[in-house]
Amino acid sequence: MLGLGSRNEFNVEWQTVVITGGSDGMGKAVALQLSAKGANVVVVARTVSKLVTAVEEMKAKAANKFKQRFHYISADLTDPVECERVIAEVTTWNSGAVPDVVWCCAGFSRPGFFIDVPIQEHRQQMDTVYWTAANTAHATLRSWLEPVHPSAQMKTSRRHLIFTCSTLAFVPIAGYSPYSPAKAAIRSLSDTLNQEIEMYNGAYQRHRGAAPAADVKIHTVFPMGILSPGFDNEEKTKPELTKKLEEADKPQTPSEVAKVSISALERGEYLITTNFIGSLMKGTALGASPRNGIVGDTLLSCLSHLVFLQVIPELRSKTFTWGKKNGLPSANGTPAS
Ligand SMILES: NC(=O)C1=CN([C@@H]2O[C@H](COP(=O)(O)OP(=O)(O)OC[C@H]3O[C@@H](n4cnc5c(N)ncnc54)[C@H](OP(=O)(O)O)[C@@H]3O)[C@@H](O)[C@H]2O)C=CC1
Ligand SMILES: CCCCCCCCCCCCCCCC(=O)[C@@H](N)CO
């Protein structure tokens, strides 16, 4: 995907990569593809059996079967102490060196209408979606941004922290209120860190006496539907109206989402979408986020704003018409007859 002569901004060969949620769906697809590109990979999730399988599959896909290393850590990342343990354990496993790349993929969606979903489940979505990512980012950046002696500074390497969001952070869809706010919070965290990290990167350039060991780049991926075990699960509580509102989306396979995301990272992109409708959704909500390219993103944004002049009222009128036709839903989201 890289143009002739352009630099690979995300070369993972011999680098140590941590992937949360790396035992299933998109996270596992990312793990397998980075293994095939020569990375040493640690996958983190709760269920050991799925982690063991992921490690086996990564070994089979490795670019250099004899030298690459793989590892798994079982942890519930809603607990910040567990996130610190993960980074410490990876560092020990990695002969004392902190990881080069951390990709937050853990999370799942529990759709339902706002008042039908018990308030504790709304809070749990914030825990599994936002806090797994924020805890992981906190533990990671604390380990990365600690000032080190100049002799410990790396010459070329650049570290990458990657969040996995959803295009629902850009555009509201009825039935996703337990989930979308948590993803929108990740987007806001990502934008804030993208700016804040420049202080450290600046210090790395000019104050090597007391600066982090390397540059850090932040990225966020915004997938559309992904045909994962998590997706099959969310379909069980997803209201029929929600399925109708998102029918323009053709869900992608985990490996397709992983491939497109990795290519975008190799081009050095910041906010990453995985298909055209996803880009349109981003374009209408770029706000004050850094652009991947001024010209491309500005044109995209103009096009999106025109398209969404129609889409915004359409989503609301589809919802209104649904209520008029079907009446109130029963608690599981299916229309009462
Ligand atoms: N599927 C979709 O349609 C879309 C998904 N996304 C996002 O993409 C990411 C991947 O989704 P998907 O491919 O569906 O993933 P899956 O639901 O298939 O897998 C989720 C992964 O996260 C792990 N996980 C869940 N909770 C925790 C926790 N508390 N601590 C540690 N690990 C945890 C799971 O393992 P275990 O349960 O064993 O802990 C598993 O490895 C998620 O962030 C999701 O929100 C974005 C857009 C669309
Ligand atoms: C011509 C352009 C029209 C654009 C219309 C907008 C269509 C909305 C599509 C919503 C797709 C939602 C995908 C995210 C899924 C997700 O994150 C969940 N599956 C959670 O896991």
Side-chain angles (χ1 to χ4, degrees):
M1 286 302 237
L2 287 178
L4 269 186
S6 53
R7 204 168 83 113
N8 181 356
E9 300 284 341
F10 189 66
N11 186 353
V12 295
E13 198 178 11
W14 303 122
Q15 300 227 310
T16 297
V17 180
V18 177
I19 303 165
T20 76
S23 66
D24 233 332
M26 175 186 169
K28 180 157 116 180
V30 165
L32 296 180
Q33 290 178 28
L34 296 184
S35 160
K37 286 179 183 279
N40 301 317
V41 183
V42 183
V43 284
V44 186
R46 292 164 305 179
T47 318
V48 171
S49 55
K50 290 192 293 175
L51 287 163
V52 170
T53 310
V55 166
E56 290 309 315
E57 291 181 31
M58 284 194 290
K59 280 183 184 158
K61 285 267 178 2
N64 187 331
K65 292 195 173 37
F66 302 106
K67 291 205 181 138
Q68 270 170 265
R69 299 172 69 226
F70 302 99
H71 186 50
Y72 73 81
I73 299 174
S74 168
D76 182 345
L77 302 172
T78 58
D79 179 356
V81 177
E82 282 292 86
C83 292
E84 297 198 350
R85 173 178 70 88
V86 166
I87 297 301
E89 231 182 277
V90 170
T91 306
T92 307
W93 176 81
N94 199 30
S95 320
V98 294
D100 305 288
V101 175
V102 174
W103 191 326
C104 306
C105 254
F108 57 84
S109 169
R110 191 279 187 230
F113 293 123
F114 185 66
I115 64 168
D116 295 336
V117 175
I119 200 72
Q120 300 89 323
E121 290 186 41
H122 284 281
R123 191 173 273 266
Q124 276 164 11
Q125 278 279 269
M126 212 55 168
D127 283 339
T128 45
V129 174
Y130 178 74
W131 282 108
T132 57
N135 290 338
T136 305
H138 198 260
T140 302
L141 291 175
R142 279 187 163 217
S143 79
W144 283 353
L145 298 175
E146 193 184 30
V148 297
H149 188 265
S151 66
Q153 276 163 8
M154 298 154 84
K155 277 145 288 284
T156 51
S157 202
R158 178 179 266 176
R159 292 163 175 166
H160 299 266
L161 174 64
I162 305 154
F163 294 107
T164 305
C165 217
S166 160
T167 50
L168 291 170
F170 299 132
V171 173
I173 296 290
Y176 277 117
S177 69
Y179 173 80
S180 301
K183 287 298 192 189
I186 294 182
R187 189 261 177 111
S188 178
L189 176 67
S190 167
D191 280 352
T192 307
L193 290 178
N194 182 286
Q195 186 184 109
E196 197 166 306
I197 207 72
E198 288 305 314
M199 178 178 75
Y200 299 90
N201 292 342
Y204 174 71
Q205 284 227 328
R206 284 287 298 279
H207 298 271
R208 290 289 177 97
D215 255 11
V216 176
K217 275 194 92 175
I218 312 277
H219 313 261
T220 301
V221 179
F222 297 78
M224 299 285 278
I226 307 169
L227 296 167
S228 64
F231 186 80
D232 295 340
N233 202 42
E234 75 182 58
E235 289 294 285
K236 293 178 196 155
T237 63
K238 192 178 282 175
E240 291 304 315
L241 168 62
T242 306
K243 290 182 186 166
K244 174 149 185 71
L245 295 176
E246 66 180 8
E247 72 191 356
D249 177 34
K250 298 287 161 270
Q252 295 168 289
T253 61
S255 62
E256 196 179 344
V257 173
K259 184 164 176 273
V260 175
S261 306
I262 293 166
S263 297
L265 290 167
E266 289 175 343
R267 291 192 299 273
E269 292 184 11
Y270 164 53
L271 294 185
I272 294 167
T273 46
T274 63
N275 65 21
F276 182 62
I277 296 187
S279 301
L280 279 180
M281 291 168 80
K282 178 178 82 168
T284 195
L286 270 176
S289 292
R291 274 42 176 175
N292 293 330
I294 304 271
V295 177
D297 276 336
T298 303
L299 290 176
L300 172 71
S301 182
C302 292
L303 174 66
S304 297
H305 277 87
L306 284 175
V307 171
F308 271 82
L309 282 178
Q310 194 189 330
V311 173
I312 299 161
E314 201 175 280
L315 288 169
R316 291 180 75 234
S317 76
K318 275 186 183 166
T319 306
F320 181 81
T321 310
W322 184 271
K324 227 167 125 176
K325 179 160 169 263
N326 298 302
L328 289 183
S330 63
N332 66 8
T334 47
S337 49

Coordinates of all heavy atoms in Angstrom, one line a residue, residues 254-335:
P254 N -12.4 -9.6 10.5 CA -11.3 -9.1 11.4 C -10.0 -8.9 10.6 O -9.3 -7.9 10.8 CB -11.2 -10.2 12.5 CG -12.6 -10.8 12.5 CD -13.1 -10.8 11.1
S255 N -9.7 -9.9 9.7 CA -8.4 -9.7 9.1 C -8.4 -8.6 8.1 O -7.3 -7.9 7.9 CB -8.0 -11.1 8.4 OG -8.9 -11.4 7.4
E256 N -9.5 -8.3 7.5 CA -9.6 -7.1 6.6 C -9.4 -5.8 7.4 O -8.6 -4.9 7.0 CB -11.0 -7.1 5.9 CG -11.1 -6.3 4.7 CD -12.5 -6.3 4.1 OE1 -13.3 -7.3 4.4 OE2 -12.9 -5.4 3.3
V257 N -10.1 -5.7 8.5 CA -9.9 -4.5 9.4 C -8.5 -4.4 9.8 O -7.9 -3.3 9.8 CB -10.9 -4.6 10.6 CG1 -10.7 -3.5 11.5 CG2 -12.3 -4.6 10.1
A258 N -7.9 -5.5 10.2 CA -6.5 -5.5 10.7 C -5.6 -5.0 9.6 O -4.7 -4.1 9.8 CB -6.1 -6.8 11.2
K259 N -5.8 -5.5 8.4 CA -4.9 -5.2 7.2 C -5.0 -3.7 6.9 O -3.9 -3.1 6.7 CB -5.3 -6.1 6.0 CG -4.4 -6.0 4.8 CD -4.7 -7.2 3.9 CE -3.9 -7.0 2.6 NZ -4.6 -6.2 1.6
V260 N -6.2 -3.2 6.7 CA -6.4 -1.8 6.4 C -5.8 -0.9 7.5 O -5.1 0.1 7.2 CB -7.9 -1.5 6.2 CG1 -8.1 0.0 5.9 CG2 -8.5 -2.3 5.0
S261 N -6.0 -1.3 8.7 CA -5.5 -0.5 9.8 C -4.0 -0.4 9.8 O -3.3 0.6 10.0 CB -6.0 -1.0 11.2 OG -7.4 -1.1 11.2
I262 N -3.3 -1.6 9.6 CA -1.9 -1.7 9.6 C -1.3 -0.9 8.5 O -0.3 -0.1 8.6 CB -1.4 -3.1 9.6 CG1 -1.8 -3.8 11.0 CG2 0.1 -3.2 9.4 CD1 -1.7 -5.3 11.0
S263 N -1.9 -1.0 7.3 CA -1.5 -0.2 6.1 C -1.5 1.3 6.4 O -0.6 2.1 6.1 CB -2.3 -0.4 4.9 OG -2.2 -1.8 4.5
A264 N -2.6 1.7 7.1 CA -2.8 3.2 7.4 C -1.7 3.6 8.4 O -1.1 4.7 8.3 CB -4.1 3.4 8.0
L265 N -1.4 2.7 9.4 CA -0.3 3.0 10.4 C 1.1 3.1 9.6 O 1.9 4.0 9.9 CB -0.2 1.9 11.4 CG -1.4 1.9 12.4 CD1 -1.4 0.6 13.2 CD2 -1.3 3.1 13.3
E266 N 1.2 2.3 8.6 CA 2.5 2.3 7.8 C 2.6 3.6 7.1 O 3.7 4.1 6.8 CB 2.6 1.1 6.9 CG 2.8 -0.2 7.7 CD 2.8 -1.5 6.9 OE1 2.2 -1.4 5.7 OE2 3.2 -2.5 7.4
R267 N 1.5 4.2 6.7 CA 1.5 5.5 6.0 C 1.6 6.6 7.1 O 1.7 7.8 6.7 CB 0.2 5.7 5.2 CG 0.1 4.8 4.0 CD -1.1 5.3 3.1 NE -2.4 5.3 3.8 CZ -3.2 4.2 3.8 NH1 -2.8 3.1 3.2 NH2 -4.3 4.3 4.4
G268 N 1.5 6.3 8.4 CA 1.7 7.3 9.4 C 0.4 8.0 9.8 O 0.4 9.1 10.4
E269 N -0.8 7.5 9.5 CA -2.0 8.1 9.8 C -2.3 8.2 11.3 O -1.9 7.3 12.0 CB -3.2 7.5 9.0 CG -3.1 7.7 7.5 CD -4.3 7.1 6.7 OE1 -5.3 6.8 7.3 OE2 -4.1 7.1 5.5
Y270 N -3.1 9.2 11.7 CA -3.5 9.3 13.1 C -4.9 8.8 13.3 O -5.1 7.8 14.1 CB -3.4 10.8 13.5 CG -4.1 11.1 14.8 CD1 -3.8 10.4 15.9 CD2 -5.1 12.1 14.8 CE1 -4.5 10.6 17.1 CE2 -5.7 12.4 16.0 CZ -5.5 11.6 17.2 OH -6.1 11.9 18.3
L271 N -6.0 9.4 12.8 CA -7.3 8.9 12.9 C -7.6 8.0 11.7 O -7.6 8.5 10.6 CB -8.4 10.0 13.0 CG -8.3 10.9 14.2 CD1 -9.5 11.9 14.2 CD2 -8.3 10.1 15.5
I272 N -7.8 6.7 12.0 CA -7.8 5.7 10.9 C -9.2 5.1 10.7 O -9.8 4.6 11.6 CB -6.8 4.6 11.2 CG1 -5.4 5.3 11.2 CG2 -6.9 3.5 10.2 CD1 -4.3 4.4 11.8
T273 N -9.7 5.2 9.5 CA -11.0 4.5 9.2 C -10.7 3.3 8.2 O -9.7 3.3 7.6 CB -12.0 5.5 8.5 OG1 -11.3 6.2 7.5 CG2 -12.5 6.4 9.6
T274 N -11.7 2.4 8.1 CA -11.4 1.2 7.4 C -12.2 1.0 6.1 O -12.0 0.0 5.4 CB -11.6 -0.1 8.3 OG1 -13.0 -0.1 8.7 CG2 -10.8 0.0 9.6
N275 N -13.1 1.8 5.8 CA -13.8 1.8 4.5 C -14.4 3.2 4.2 O -14.3 4.1 5.0 CB -14.8 0.7 4.5 CG -16.0 0.9 5.4 OD1 -16.3 2.0 5.9 ND2 -16.7 -0.2 5.7
F276 N -15.0 3.3 3.1 CA -15.5 4.6 2.6 C -16.5 5.2 3.5 O -16.5 6.4 3.8 CB -15.9 4.5 1.1 CG -16.3 5.9 0.6 CD1 -15.4 6.9 0.5 CD2 -17.6 6.1 0.2 CE1 -15.8 8.1 0.0 CE2 -18.0 7.3 -0.3 CZ -17.1 8.4 -0.4
I277 N -17.5 4.4 3.9 CA -18.6 5.0 4.7 C -18.0 5.4 6.1 O -18.3 6.5 6.6 CB -19.8 4.0 4.9 CG1 -20.5 3.7 3.6 CG2 -20.8 4.6 5.9 CD1 -21.7 2.9 3.6
G278 N -17.1 4.7 6.6 CA -16.3 5.0 7.8 C -15.6 6.4 7.6 O -15.7 7.2 8.5
S279 N -15.0 6.6 6.5 CA -14.3 7.9 6.2 C -15.3 9.0 6.2 O -15.1 10.1 6.7 CB -13.5 7.8 4.9 OG -12.6 6.8 5.0
L280 N -16.5 8.7 5.6 CA -17.6 9.8 5.5 C -18.0 10.1 6.9 O -18.2 11.3 7.2 CB -18.8 9.3 4.7 CG -18.7 9.4 3.2 CD1 -20.0 8.9 2.6 CD2 -18.4 10.8 2.7
M281 N -18.2 9.1 7.8 CA -18.6 9.4 9.1 C -17.5 10.2 9.9 O -17.8 11.1 10.7 CB -18.9 8.0 9.9 CG -20.1 7.4 9.3 SD -20.3 5.6 9.9 CE -21.0 5.8 11.5
K282 N -16.3 9.9 9.6 CA -15.2 10.7 10.2 C -15.2 12.1 9.7 O -15.1 13.1 10.5 CB -13.8 10.0 10.0 CG -12.6 10.8 10.5 CD -11.3 10.2 10.3 CE -10.8 10.4 8.9 NZ -9.4 10.0 8.7
G283 N -15.4 12.2 8.4 CA -15.3 13.6 7.8 C -16.3 14.6 8.4 O -16.0 15.8 8.4
T284 N -17.4 14.1 8.8 CA -18.4 15.0 9.3 C -18.1 15.4 10.8 O -18.8 16.3 11.3 CB -19.9 14.4 9.2 OG1 -20.8 15.4 9.4 CG2 -20.1 13.3 10.3
A285 N -17.1 14.7 11.4 CA -16.9 15.0 12.8 C -15.4 15.2 13.1 O -14.9 15.0 14.2 CB -17.4 13.7 13.6
L286 N -14.7 15.7 12.1 CA -13.2 15.9 12.3 C -12.9 16.9 13.4 O -11.9 16.7 14.2 CB -12.6 16.4 11.0 CG -12.1 15.2 10.1 CD1 -11.5 15.7 8.8 CD2 -11.0 14.4 10.9
G287 N -13.8 17.9 13.6 CA -13.6 18.9 14.7 C -12.1 19.4 14.7 O -11.6 19.7 13.7
A288 N -11.6 19.4 15.9 CA -10.2 19.9 16.1 C -9.2 18.8 16.1 O -8.1 18.9 16.7 CB -10.1 20.7 17.4
S289 N -9.5 17.6 15.6 CA -8.5 16.5 15.6 C -7.5 16.8 14.5 O -7.8 17.4 13.4 CB -9.2 15.2 15.2 OG -10.0 14.8 16.2
P290 N -6.2 16.4 14.8 CA -5.2 16.5 13.8 C -5.6 15.8 12.5 O -6.2 14.7 12.6 CB -4.0 15.9 14.4 CG -4.2 16.0 15.9 CD -5.7 15.9 16.0
R291 N -5.2 16.3 11.4 CA -5.6 15.7 10.1 C -4.4 14.8 9.6 O -3.3 15.0 9.9 CB -5.7 16.8 9.0 CG -7.1 17.5 8.9 CD -7.8 17.8 10.1 NE -9.0 18.6 9.9 CZ -9.9 18.9 10.8 NH1 -9.6 18.6 12.1 NH2 -11.0 19.5 10.5
N292 N -4.8 13.8 8.8 CA -3.8 12.9 8.2 C -3.1 13.7 7.0 O -2.0 13.5 6.8 CB -4.4 11.6 7.6 CG -4.9 10.7 8.8 OD1 -4.4 10.8 9.9 ND2 -6.0 10.0 8.5
G293 N -3.9 14.5 6.3 CA -3.4 15.3 5.3 C -4.4 16.5 5.1 O -5.6 16.3 5.2
I294 N -3.9 17.7 4.9 CA -4.8 18.9 4.9 C -5.8 18.8 3.7 O -7.0 18.9 3.9 CB -4.0 20.2 4.8 CG1 -2.9 20.3 5.9 CG2 -4.9 21.4 4.7 CD1 -3.4 21.0 7.1
V295 N -5.2 18.5 2.5 CA -6.1 18.5 1.3 C -7.1 17.4 1.4 O -8.3 17.7 1.3 CB -5.2 18.4 0.1 CG1 -6.1 18.4 -1.2 CG2 -4.2 19.6 0.0
G296 N -6.6 16.2 1.6 CA -7.5 15.0 1.6 C -8.6 15.1 2.6 O -9.8 15.0 2.3
D297 N -8.2 15.5 3.8 CA -9.2 15.5 4.9 C -10.1 16.7 4.8 O -11.3 16.6 5.2 CB -8.5 15.6 6.3 CG -8.1 14.2 6.8 OD1 -8.7 13.2 6.4 OD2 -7.2 14.1 7.6
T298 N -9.7 17.8 4.2 CA -10.6 19.0 4.0 C -11.6 18.7 2.9 O -12.8 18.9 3.1 CB -9.7 20.2 3.6 OG1 -8.8 20.4 4.7 CG2 -10.6 21.4 3.5
L299 N -11.2 18.0 1.8 CA -12.1 17.6 0.8 C -13.1 16.6 1.3 O -14.3 16.7 1.1 CB -11.4 17.0 -0.4 CG -10.6 18.0 -1.2 CD1 -9.8 17.3 -2.4 CD2 -11.5 19.1 -1.8
L300 N -12.6 15.6 2.1 CA -13.4 14.6 2.7 C -14.5 15.3 3.6 O -15.7 14.9 3.5 CB -12.6 13.6 3.5 CG -13.4 12.6 4.4 CD1 -14.1 11.6 3.5 CD2 -12.5 11.9 5.4
S301 N -14.0 16.2 4.4 CA -14.9 16.9 5.3 C -16.0 17.7 4.6 O -17.2 17.6 5.0 CB -14.0 17.8 6.2 OG -14.8 18.5 7.1
C302 N -15.7 18.3 3.5 CA -16.7 19.1 2.7 C -17.7 18.1 2.2 O -18.9 18.3 2.3 CB -16.0 19.8 1.5 SG -15.0 21.1 2.1
L303 N -17.2 17.0 1.6 CA -18.1 16.0 1.0 C -19.1 15.4 2.1 O -20.3 15.3 2.0 CB -17.3 14.9 0.4 CG -18.1 13.7 -0.2 CD1 -19.0 14.1 -1.3 CD2 -17.2 12.5 -0.6
S304 N -18.4 15.1 3.3 CA -19.2 14.5 4.4 C -20.3 15.4 4.9 O -21.4 15.0 5.1 CB -18.3 14.2 5.5 OG -17.4 13.2 5.2
H305 N -19.9 16.7 5.0 CA -20.9 17.7 5.5 C -22.1 17.8 4.6 O -23.3 17.9 5.0 CB -20.3 19.0 5.7 CG -19.6 19.1 7.1 ND1 -18.3 18.8 7.2 CD2 -20.0 19.5 8.3 CE1 -18.0 18.9 8.5 NE2 -19.0 19.3 9.2
L306 N -21.9 17.7 3.3 CA -23.0 17.7 2.3 C -23.8 16.4 2.5 O -25.0 16.5 2.6 CB -22.4 17.8 0.9 CG -21.9 19.2 0.5 CD1 -21.3 19.1 -0.9 CD2 -23.1 20.2 0.5
V307 N -23.1 15.3 2.5 CA -23.9 14.0 2.6 C -24.7 14.0 3.9 O -25.8 13.6 3.9 CB -22.9 12.8 2.6 CG1 -23.6 11.5 2.9 CG2 -22.2 12.7 1.2
F308 N -24.1 14.4 5.0 CA -24.8 14.3 6.3 C -25.9 15.4 6.5 O -26.7 15.2 7.4 CB -23.7 14.4 7.5 CG -23.3 13.0 7.8 CD1 -22.3 12.4 7.0 CD2 -23.9 12.2 8.8 CE1 -21.9 11.0 7.3 CE2 -23.5 10.9 9.0 CZ -22.5 10.3 8.2
L309 N -25.9 16.4 5.6 CA -27.1 17.3 5.7 C -28.3 16.4 5.4 O -29.4 16.7 6.0 CB -27.0 18.3 4.6 CG -26.0 19.5 4.8 CD1 -26.0 20.5 3.7 CD2 -26.5 20.2 6.1
Q310 N -28.2 15.4 4.6 CA -29.3 14.5 4.4 C -29.4 13.3 5.4 O -30.4 13.0 5.9 CB -29.2 13.9 3.0 CG -30.4 13.2 2.5 CD -30.2 12.5 1.2 OE1 -29.4 12.9 0.4 NE2 -31.0 11.4 1.0
V311 N -28.2 12.8 5.8 CA -28.2 11.6 6.7 C -28.7 11.9 8.1 O -29.5 11.1 8.6 CB -26.7 11.0 6.7 CG1 -26.7 9.9 7.8 CG2 -26.3 10.5 5.4
I312 N -28.4 13.1 8.6 CA -28.8 13.4 10.0 C -30.3 13.4 10.2 O -30.8 12.6 11.0 CB -28.2 14.7 10.5 CG1 -26.6 14.7 10.5 CG2 -28.6 15.0 12.0 CD1 -26.0 16.0 10.5
P313 N -31.0 14.2 9.3 CA -32.5 14.1 9.5 C -33.0 12.7 9.1 O -34.1 12.3 9.7 CB -33.0 15.2 8.5 CG -31.9 15.6 7.7 CD -30.6 15.2 8.4
E314 N -32.4 12.0 8.2 CA -32.9 10.7 7.7 C -32.8 9.7 8.9 O -33.8 8.9 9.1 CB -32.0 10.2 6.6 CG -32.6 9.2 5.7 CD -31.7 8.9 4.5 OE1 -31.7 9.6 3.6 OE2 -31.0 7.8 4.6
L315 N -31.7 9.7 9.7 CA -31.6 8.8 10.8 C -32.7 9.1 11.8 O -33.3 8.1 12.3 CB -30.2 8.9 11.4 CG -29.1 8.3 10.6 CD1 -27.7 8.7 11.3 CD2 -29.1 6.8 10.5
R316 N -33.0 10.4 12.0 CA -34.1 10.7 13.0 C -35.4 10.3 12.5 O -36.3 9.8 13.2 CB -34.0 12.2 13.4 CG -32.7 12.5 14.2 CD -32.7 14.0 14.6 NE -33.6 14.3 15.6 CZ -34.5 15.3 15.5 NH1 -34.6 16.0 14.5 NH2 -35.3 15.5 16.6
S317 N -35.7 10.6 11.2 CA -37.0 10.3 10.7 C -37.2 8.8 10.5 O -38.3 8.3 10.8 CB -37.3 11.0 9.3 OG -36.6 10.4 8.3
K318 N -36.2 8.0 10.2 CA -36.3 6.6 10.2 C -36.7 6.1 11.6 O -37.6 5.2 11.8 CB -35.0 5.9 9.8 CG -34.8 5.8 8.4 CD -33.5 4.9 8.1 CE -33.2 4.9 6.6 NZ -31.9 4.4 6.4
T319 N -36.2 6.7 12.6 CA -36.4 6.3 14.0 C -37.9 6.7 14.4 O -38.6 5.9 15.0 CB -35.4 7.0 15.0 OG1 -34.1 6.7 14.5 CG2 -35.5 6.5 16.4
F320 N -38.3 7.9 14.0 CA -39.6 8.3 14.3 C -40.7 7.4 13.6 O -41.6 7.0 14.2 CB -39.8 9.8 13.8 CG -41.1 10.4 14.1 CD1 -41.4 10.9 15.3 CD2 -42.1 10.5 13.1 CE1 -42.7 11.5 15.6 CE2 -43.3 11.1 13.3 CZ -43.6 11.6 14.5
T321 N -40.4 7.2 12.3 CA -41.3 6.3 11.5 C -41.4 4.9 12.1 O -42.5 4.3 12.2 CB -40.8 6.2 10.1 OG1 -40.5 7.5 9.6 CG2 -41.8 5.5 9.2
W322 N -40.3 4.4 12.7 CA -40.3 3.1 13.3 C -41.2 3.1 14.5 O -42.0 2.2 14.7 CB -38.8 2.8 13.7 CG -38.7 1.4 14.3 CD1 -38.8 1.1 15.6 CD2 -38.3 0.2 13.6 NE1 -38.6 -0.3 15.8 CE2 -38.3 -0.8 14.6 CE3 -38.1 -0.1 12.3 CZ2 -38.0 -2.1 14.2 CZ3 -37.7 -1.4 11.9 CH2 -37.7 -2.4 12.9
G323 N -41.1 4.1 15.3 CA -42.0 4.2 16.5 C -43.5 4.3 16.1 O -44.4 3.7 16.7
K324 N -43.7 5.1 15.1 CA -45.1 5.3 14.6 C -45.7 4.0 14.1 O -46.8 3.7 14.4 CB -45.0 6.3 13.4 CG -46.1 7.4 13.5 CD -45.8 8.5 12.6 CE -46.9 8.8 11.7 NZ -46.7 9.9 10.7
K325 N -44.8 3.2 13.4 CA -45.3 2.0 12.8 C -45.4 0.9 13.9 O -46.4 0.1 13.9 CB -44.4 1.6 11.7 CG -44.7 0.3 11.0 CD -44.0 0.2 9.6 CE -44.2 -1.2 9.1 NZ -43.0 -2.1 9.3
N326 N -44.4 0.7 14.7 CA -44.3 -0.4 15.6 C -44.7 -0.2 17.0 O -44.8 -1.1 17.8 CB -42.9 -1.0 15.5 CG -42.5 -1.5 14.1 OD1 -43.1 -2.3 13.6 ND2 -41.4 -0.9 13.6
G327 N -44.8 1.0 17.4 CA -45.1 1.3 18.8 C -43.8 1.1 19.7 O -42.7 1.0 19.1
L328 N -44.0 1.0 21.0 CA -42.8 0.9 21.9 C -42.3 -0.5 21.8 O -43.0 -1.5 21.6 CB -43.2 1.2 23.3 CG -43.5 2.6 23.6 CD1 -43.8 2.8 25.1 CD2 -42.3 3.5 23.3
P329 N -40.9 -0.7 21.9 CA -40.4 -2.0 21.9 C -40.6 -2.7 23.2 O -40.7 -2.0 24.2 CB -38.9 -1.7 21.6 CG -38.7 -0.4 22.2 CD -40.0 0.4 22.1
S330 N -40.5 -4.0 23.2 CA -40.4 -4.7 24.5 C -39.0 -4.6 24.9 O -38.1 -4.1 24.2 CB -40.8 -6.2 24.3 OG -39.9 -6.8 23.4
A331 N -38.7 -5.0 26.2 CA -37.4 -4.7 26.7 C -36.2 -5.2 25.9 O -35.1 -4.7 25.9 CB -37.3 -5.3 28.1
N332 N -36.4 -6.3 25.1 CA -35.2 -6.8 24.3 C -35.1 -6.1 23.0 O -34.3 -6.5 22.2 CB -35.3 -8.3 24.2 CG -36.5 -8.7 23.3 OD1 -37.1 -7.9 22.8 ND2 -36.7 -10.0 23.3
G333 N -35.9 -5.1 22.8 CA -35.7 -4.3 21.6 C -36.5 -4.7 20.4 O -36.6 -3.9 19.4
T334 N -37.2 -5.8 20.4 CA -38.0 -6.2 19.3 C -39.4 -5.5 19.5 O -39.9 -5.3 20.6 CB -38.3 -7.7 19.3 OG1 -38.6 -8.2 20.6 CG2 -37.1 -8.4 18.8
P335 N -40.0 -5.0 18.4 CA -41.2 -4.2 18.5 C -42.3 -5.1 19.1 O -42.4 -6.2 18.9 CB -41.5 -3.9 17.0 CG -40.3 -4.3 16.2 CD -39.5 -5.3 17.0

